[in-house]
Amino acid sequence: MYTQCPECLTVYKLEAELLVPGCGCLRCSHCDAVFNALGTLAAHLPPEPFTRLPDHALDQDPPLADVAVFRPRPVVDEAMEPVEGTEPADEPAVVEEIGEDFSQLTFTPRFAKPRRRRSWHTAAWVAVCTVLVLGLGAQLAWAKRDVLVADPTIGPLIETGCAVVGCRLPLVSAPTRLRLLARDVEQHPSVSDGLLITASVRNDATFAQPYPVVTIVLSDANGQRLAMRRFQPEDYVGDAATRARGLAGGATTAMVFEVQDPGQRAVAFAFSFD
């Protein structure tokens, strides 16, 4: 197609797509004038020489488009009942005759019906993903339970939540947070060659921990070891329920140990917790 600038009479060759953005108006690249390209639109150039392309009147009624080549079928909603006189949505594609001329036959395709998304599928998938995420979080929390319980910020929150639901936190061993407050040694009241050693121990941690393994070392004035013994929790805590509860955070307990007297050379003793 061809059109002509009315200002500088420059003739341009163009495609129909070029007329769409400006609703038929173009800007002349020679004189920069804006003009309606439809006014001189021509399918072919007239024989040369020529000066102007024929002008078209643009103020007339729109012509009738009567040569149809395609007409799509309307999409019928699945929820709507079939209307009398219409074909079912699953009918095969049909050919509709527009005129007597076979060149005017149109093909009406059967469009794929949009499927409704099933909301319960989405809900089930979200529920499964939520369960998997919670399960993974529970496994990680169990693997890091000692760190979480011992944390001064998270530990109390976990303990409070556990008290609400009625569960019991696992005991976390932290022997470095056990502090020896007092200790004493005296002759055993009923065993002639025995000693009775008592110790007062405080749990400075904010969480309960199991009763430790206590190691007592007796030494002479030169620091030489004369005797050593390791006491398991069952050796100095007779009640099994008390051992299961552990030593509560901030609590103090008294420990009593019976050892054999190594003689007059033993003048010092030391405690350690494992």
Side-chain angles (χ1 to χ4, degrees), residues 40 57 59 78 98 109 130 144-146 166 192 197 202 222 233 240 247-248 260:
T40 56
D59 56 352
E78 293 180 352
I98 301 300
T130 302
K144 300 293 184 180
R145 59 187 181 277
D146 291 353
S192 59
I197 300 176
R202 176 184 172 85
N222 297 323
L247 185 57
Q260 187 177 6

Side-chain angles (χ1 to χ4, degrees), residues 87-156:
E87 298 181 0
D90 56 352
E91 287 293 325
V94 297
V95 176
E96 180 182 356
E97 184 176 350
I98 301 300
E100 296 180 357
D101 189 354
F102 285 102
S103 63
Q104 300 181 12
L105 293 181
T106 63
F107 179 76
T108 305
R110 177 171 59 90
F111 293 97
K113 297 179 293 185
R115 295 184 177 180
R116 294 182 177 178
R117 296 183 60 184
R118 298 182 178 179
S119 58
W120 68 272
H121 281 172
T122 303
W125 178 248
V126 171
V128 170
C129 292
T130 302
V131 171
L132 293 177
V133 170
L134 292 177
L136 179 60
Q139 292 180 0
L140 292 176
W142 179 255
K144 300 293 184 180
R145 59 187 181 277
D146 291 353
V147 177
L148 295 177
V149 173
D151 188 272
T153 302
I154 302 178

